[in-house]
Structure formats: structure tokens, C-alpha cells
Amino acid sequence: MQTPEERGEARLRLEFEVTGLDFATAGSAATRVKRALEHVGFSARAVRRAAITAYEAEMNIVIHARRGLLKVCVAPEAVVIVAADEGPGIADLELAMQEGFSTAPEDVREMGFGAGMGLPNMRRCSDHFTIQSVVGRGTTVRAVIKNDQVGGRGRGV
Amino acid sequence: MSYFHSVTLQRAKCKGCTNCIKRCPTEAIRVREGKAHILEERCVDCGECIRICPNQAKVAVTDRLERLEEFRYNVALPAPAFFGQFGRDVDPGQVLGGLINLGFDHVVEVALGADVVTAAIRRYLREHPQPRPLISSACPTVVRLIQVRFPSLVDHIIPLHTPMDVAALLARRQAREQHGLADGDVGTWFITPCPAKLTAVRQPVGMTLSEVTGAFSMAEIYGMMLPLLAQAPEGGELQQASAHGFGWGRAGGENQAIGAGALLSVDGIHNVIALLEEVLRDRLGDLDYLELQACVAGCVGGSLVAENPFVGRTNLRMLTERLGATGPGFPEEAAVRLLAEAPQVRGPVEPRPVMRLDEDPARAISKTEQLERVLESLPGLDCGSCGSPHCRSLAEDIVRGRAFETDCVFKLREQVHALAAEMLELAHRLPPAMGQRDEGEDGADSNEA
């Protein structure tokens, strides 16, 4: 019988619970995602793009939502990052995707977060990006980052 | 590939304690069979283990002064930090004269090289708007740290020679032009505050050949020179570097020399790692330049330095003030021309990722999954008793086949406990022929009579 590896179905699944306004541990999930991708041997560029995406997804939950779940699935050729939160939702997705647009509260902005670059950065760093939102319920983003040129140099983002 | 490292272990002195494995920023040390082992591909020569080792088992291998006999003409290249070893009553000229007294034919300050590099950095920042932030190439430990732990950031390292390389270049040019000496007759000797610079001399990153012949420990040279200082010839005419050039030896001095732009300076390798995580997340794109120094207080905090790092830092700051900070020490045009004429063109720094668990991505995924599972089962105390620095690194070592779950003293105890319980259980089970009835059964069973 073939192993999942031989069938090309090897998958690594990670899940992290993220709590709103918990700035002390914010970023720890993204760090673990990054480390896992380094262990798997993703290219330096893909690791960085995934690290940025996971970080922005985690921070969006911390800044805007009550809580959320960051789910990551790693396959040899790509990583899928899904962040689903229970939060206010986004009324105008098109506006939210514009660089510099932010609904982050003033105190959060004073901490240097919420500059309105999170969602545009995630889209820029991923090969496939979708966002769904229901006002009053929450938001789910899904990003796919391909493992390009395995082991290659990390030029640009 | 094999790597040269200045940081090495004196096996006989190592007691197998776990101080060093916990302090190592790249998790490059394991204790096995009672002795520390350095994982060569991960070591960045930061010298943290030298600082922490209570038994002085970790040492930096530097060159012996006797090597001066191998060359006809020897030039000392004192690091800027060297001038921080002396109090306010000692001028750079005296220090330079002291080095001549020690047996060198000439001295070129690395601070002069720093003046050249300062001018080149200014120009580079102006002409290259991307990527941001750029990272100083001066600290060899930081460059190696980026290769190993932040390989996607190698393109942020500014592609310029270091002040040490430039000083050696100037020394060789002077020996050639003024004394007609062939390259093979000239020894250029860096007086180093840290082991990483010696590694950089022996195994340069992004360069085919170092212009520097070797490196002497700053503390050793300091010790030899101190008694000679009083009778040192006044070497005032040897001093060429600007006040800002000397400043490079302390944290913040490089940025102060550059002067313009959004510049940030961080010292201490653990602080540097935290900052590089932020760069990796693309949070610092509004900064132009990062002066990152592995040692606390900068080069004056190197593990081969005699004076207290903070005293050294103040000494250097006051020296800069005393000399009068008077703009650029080297004209920009001349600096850029000099670097362009450098015989060894500095190539890109290559990434050197070390975390991959398997060449085959599918197998690497299975191993990463296994690593997460093993990690769940470990106590999470990061005690280091197993010889790996953290539970996570033990899990990694287990998956790589370099350790066993029972290397964890808590797992071992659990298993011993379970085994002991089983033995006790077995001990109670006697063969039926030897069985004893207890009191309660005695009267109840009447069939036996």
C-alpha cells in the first residue's frame, strides 16, 4: 500500500486560536507558520510571503475581531492560509482593499498598527486571495502562496 | 561544505553543562556524551558561548603575533573599537605609535576604511531607492545570521566592502606605491574585537579573497601594548581617520557618521533577531538603513575586548567629540572610485537555510508533522537536560534521527514509572499453586474441606 507521501497527499495542518486585542502574543502564530515552512523547505521567497500574509491575517484578528482561528495547510507545492474571525465584518470590501484605508481605532494606530496596508499586503504576497465578510458576523480571508523555485534565492516579495 | 569557525571548543575543559546551548541564538550547540558539540553549518561566530561558558571551554582561535615574521612588511589594521580601550588621556596618535613599537611597519586605521564606506553608503542610499530597509554589511555575525536564519533578507544587505576590507586595500596600495612591495611581501593584520571577524578573514562571505592576512585578538594586543604606551613614539602623523570613523566602533556610531536618512541602530544579537523578524514581516519598509551589531554596545562589546563595553563606548563617544565631528572624512567621489577599483568585486551574499528537515518536500511535511506531534508530548520546560536547547529543538533532533524521546528526563521518568508499576503488578501475580487466600474468603468457601 502506498503511503500518503507516495500518493503526493502529504499535508501539514496547523491551527491557532487568536484573541482580539492580545498584542502581547500577537505574531506568535505567524512565527510558528514561518518555522514550519522552513522545516518543509519552502523557498526563502515563499517563506517570506507566507510569513507576511500569516502575520497580517493574525494582526487583523487582533486589531478588529473578538477572536478568530488561523488555519494553515501545507502541501509540497503551496500553503493555504485561512483566517476566520468573529468580528464586526467589513461593509465595503472594495474600499477595505485599498492601500491606506483603515478602520482601526486611534489607540491601535498610535501603536504603529492599522495603517491600512494589511489586506493589500496579503493580496500582494499571495498567488490567490479571496475575502468574504458578513457585517456583524465576521470575516474570512483565504490566501494561497505557491512554493516557487524550491530552495531558490529570496529576491523581492 | 565545511565551514571554518573561529569559535571552537576545548574538549578537555567542557563539563557538559548546558549554559551555552541555552544562550546560542542559532541553536547551534548540543551536548552529547558529556561534551558540547557545535553544529558548524548553524554557527555564526557571535561569541555568546564564549561569554557564558563558566569553564572557559569555548575559545576564539586567533593568529599569533609571531606570524609577523612571515612577511617583509607588516601593517596593523586596528578596529575603531581599539581606541575605546584607552582613557581620555590617550590620543589616537599614541595608540598608533604603540603599535609601531610592537613591531608593525605601518598602521592604517580601520576607522579610515569606515570613512570610505560611510561616503559609499551615502551615495548608495541616494542612488538605490529599493529595497528598504538596507542592512549594514559591517558586522560579519549579522551577515551570517541573515544567511542562516533570515535567508529571504540577503538582498537587503548593502553590497559594499566592510571598513576592514577597505583598510587592507588602502594598506596594500600604500605598500605598493610608496615602497614598491609585491603583494606577497605585505602582511595586513586586523586587530579584532571578535571571533567573527577572524572567520570573515578566513572565509569571506560574498568575496573571493580577503585582503586581510590574519587577525590578532584585541585583548592580547592591548595587554602587550599597555607597558609600551608611555615610551611610544608620537604617531600623530599616522592618524588619517575622521572623528566619525572612530565612532563606528560603538553602537550608533555608523549611523551618526552616515548622518542623513531614516536610520535605525540595534545592538545585541537577540535584539537584532527580534528586529529582523519585523523586517521579514515587511513592517520597516519606511526605514532606509539598519546598523545591526551582534554585540551589546557595538564592537567595543566584542568577546575579545579588554575594557568594559560601556566604558569603551563612552571612551569612543568622547574621542569623537574631542576630535571634533567635522563632516565626511573621505570625499565621496574618491571613496566610490576606490571601491570601484577594488580588485575583488563583492558578489551577492548567498542564503544558507539550515532548517529543512528533508530534501524531499513530501517527506519533509511528514517530518514537520511528526515534529509538532513530538513537541506536544514533551513537557515544554525547555530545561536543556537532554542536551538540546529547547523542547522544540529536541523534537527536531528526534525527527532528524539525532536524538530519542527518552533523552528527555521527564519522558524517561514517565516510562520508568510505568515500567515500575507494571513490575509491581506482575509481582502480585503469583502462580495458582502458591496463591494465598485472604481472610474474607476463608469462611465463605466451604467446598474445600
Side-chain angles (χ1 to χ4, degrees):
Chain A
M1 207 180 101
Q2 282 188 318
T3 64
E5 289 171 20
E6 287 158 353
R7 290 196 304 272
E9 292 167 7
R11 298 286 183 273
L12 171 72
R13 290 188 170 81
L14 300 168
E15 258 187 47
F16 307 93
E17 283 173 19
V18 184
T19 309
L21 295 178
D22 180 8
F23 284 93
T25 56
S28 58
T31 301
R32 288 191 55 187
V33 173
K34 178 194 136 202
R35 200 149 36 184
L37 293 175
E38 286 171 343
H39 283 316
V40 173
F42 267 47
S43 75
R45 177 172 178 266
V47 170
R48 187 170 185 206
R49 295 166 81 216
I52 294 172
T53 305
Y55 176 73
E56 296 289 4
E58 187 180 359
M59 289 313 293
N60 271 348
I61 299 173
V62 171
I63 294 170
H64 298 285
R66 283 185 300 280
R67 62 171 168 266
L69 202 60
L70 190 72
K71 286 163 87 168
V72 178
C73 179
V74 188
E77 51 291 322
V79 53
V80 183
I81 298 169
V82 178
D85 71 40
E86 293 170 29
I90 302 168
D92 187 340
L93 281 175
E94 207 171 310
L95 193 60
M97 291 304 300
Q98 281 176 22
E99 291 190 4
F101 177 81
S102 175
T103 58
E106 194 56 39
D107 54 339
V108 169
R109 285 167 156 261
E110 276 169 12
M111 289 164 72
F113 299 102
M117 294 305 291
L119 291 175
N121 265 349
M122 288 168 74
R123 183 163 62 182
R124 182 174 55 90
C125 287
S126 48
D127 295 295
H128 185 74
F129 180 80
T130 53
I131 179 164
Q132 292 171 320
S133 190
V134 179
V135 172
R137 295 273 293 280
T139 304
T140 300
V141 295
R142 183 175 183 277
V144 181
I145 292 116
K146 287 183 189 159
N147 181 20
D148 51 346
Q149 31 138 17
V150 175
R153 284 179 61 82
R155 287 202 182 280
V157 171
Chain B
M1 118 160 234
S2 71
Y3 297 100
F4 168 83
H5 287 292
S6 170
V7 176
T8 49
L9 178 83
Q10 291 186 308
R11 262 186 79 81
K13 284 190 178 176
C14 178
K15 288 187 175 170
C17 76
T18 54
N19 282 299
C20 60
I21 62 171
K22 305 288 289 177
R23 181 75 167 254
C24 176
T26 54
E27 299 179 357
I29 314 176
R30 300 289 185 272
V31 177
R32 296 283 179 265
E33 287 150 7
K35 301 287 176 188
H37 290 268
I38 301 175
L39 303 175
E40 303 288 334
E41 73 278 10
R42 292 192 186 191
C43 173
V44 294
D45 287 285
C46 65
E48 289 291 311
C49 56
I50 296 180
R51 290 192 183 92
I52 194 82
C53 180
N55 307 306
Q56 285 82 47
K58 293 282 181 18
V59 290
V61 179
T62 49
D63 286 302
R64 311 297 313 160
L65 201 58
E66 290 76 52
R67 283 201 65 196
L68 293 186
E69 289 159 21
E70 295 171 26
F71 297 87
R72 269 179 66 194
Y73 188 80
N74 289 293
V75 187
L77 311 170
F82 193 51
F83 299 87
Q85 306 303 299
F86 307 92
R88 271 164 282 166
D89 49 336
V90 180
D91 278 328
Q94 282 171 272
V95 177
L96 298 169
L99 288 169
I100 298 291
N101 255 16
L102 209 58
F104 291 97
D105 298 293
H106 190 52
V107 188
V108 173
E109 307 136 296
V110 172
L112 181 66
D115 284 333
V116 175
V117 179
T118 300
I121 292 170
R122 284 199 197 115
R123 166 76 68 95
Y124 195 92
L125 286 174
R126 270 204 321 276
E127 291 182 350
H128 299 82
Q130 290 293 333
R132 284 294 186 272
L134 281 161
I135 298 171
S136 170
S137 64
C139 176
T141 287
V142 169
V143 170
R144 281 164 171 73
L145 177 74
I146 291 172
Q147 284 183 292
V148 171
R149 278 203 53 179
F150 300 91
S152 68
L153 298 181
V154 290
D155 292 330
H156 287 254
I157 300 170
I158 196 162
L160 294 173
H161 288 268
T162 66
M164 175 185 78
D165 292 311
V166 174
L169 205 67
L170 290 166
R172 288 186 180 278
R173 193 166 75 170
Q174 189 258 356
R176 197 166 49 237
E177 288 171 3
Q178 290 182 19
H179 302 283
L181 289 161
D183 244 12
D185 290 334
V186 182
T188 52
W189 304 95
F190 185 56
I191 297 172
T192 183
C194 68
K197 275 290 187 191
L198 183 78
T199 302
V201 168
R202 297 272 175 85
Q203 197 168 64
V205 166
M207 273 178 76
T208 50
L209 179 75
S210 175
E211 292 283 299
V212 188
T213 307
F216 301 127
S217 153
M218 185 171 287
E220 275 179 41
I221 296 287
Y222 174 81
M224 286 187 259
M225 221 184 88
L226 211 52
L228 306 173
L229 207 57
Q231 357 133 17
E234 184 47 52
E237 78 286 349
L238 290 167
Q239 189 195 325
Q240 301 176 76
S242 80
H244 278 318
F246 289 107
W248 272 61
R250 65 177 174 86
E254 179 180 346
N255 280 353
Q256 194 184 14
I258 297 168
L263 316 173
L264 184 144
S265 122
V266 176
D267 53 315
I269 191 156
H270 296 282
N271 298 330
V272 167
I273 289 171
L275 191 86
L276 287 173
E277 291 284 359
E278 300 291 338
V279 177
L280 190 112
R281 291 164 177 174
D282 219 10
R283 288 204 59 222
L284 303 178
D286 55 343
L287 292 172
D288 290 316
Y289 192 73
L290 308 178
E291 174 204 314
L292 305 181
Q293 312 231 35
C295 295
V296 171
C299 298
V300 288
S303 56
L304 300 178
V305 155
E307 182 57 276
N308 174 286
F310 301 96
V311 174
R313 182 170 69 178
T314 299
N315 283 343
L316 271 190
R317 185 176 54 77
M318 297 185 80
L319 175 64
T320 304
E321 285 166 9
R322 206 158 72 242
L323 294 175
T326 49
F330 215 91
E332 199 175 288
E333 273 308 318
V336 171
R337 206 165 346 116
L338 179 80
L339 290 186
E341 285 168 6
Q344 282 89 25
V345 177
R346 187 161 191 153
V349 178
E350 290 297 327
R352 234 175 64 194
V354 293
M355 297 305 280
R356 180 191 301 199
L357 293 176
D358 201 293
E359 289 292 321
D360 176 62
R363 272 203 300 274
I365 284 181
S366 301
K367 287 183 178 177
T368 309
E369 205 182 6
Q370 193 195 342
L371 187 157
E372 295 288 337
R373 253 197 334 265
V374 172
L375 181 60
E376 285 285 307
S377 76
L378 294 174
L381 295 172
D382 293 339
C383 69
S385 303
C386 59
S388 301
H390 317 289
C391 291
R392 167 167 281 279
S393 41
L394 174 62
E396 191 191 327
D397 291 343
I398 290 170
V399 170
R400 288 186 192 275
R402 295 174 185 163
F404 300 98
E405 209 160 293
T406 45
D407 290 351
C408 170
V409 290
F410 296 92
K411 295 298 277 185
L412 183 68
R413 200 177 59 169
E414 259 175 40
Q415 290 200 11
V416 170
H417 186 271
L419 196 63
E422 202 180 326
M423 282 171 71
L424 196 67
E425 225 267 315
L426 286 172
H428 281 296
R429 285 194 210 159
L430 294 172
M434 293 168 68
Q436 270 184 351
R437 290 175 300 184
D438 56 31
E439 300 290 310
E441 282 176 26
D442 222 15
D445 200 341
S446 52
N447 287 345
E448 266 182 50

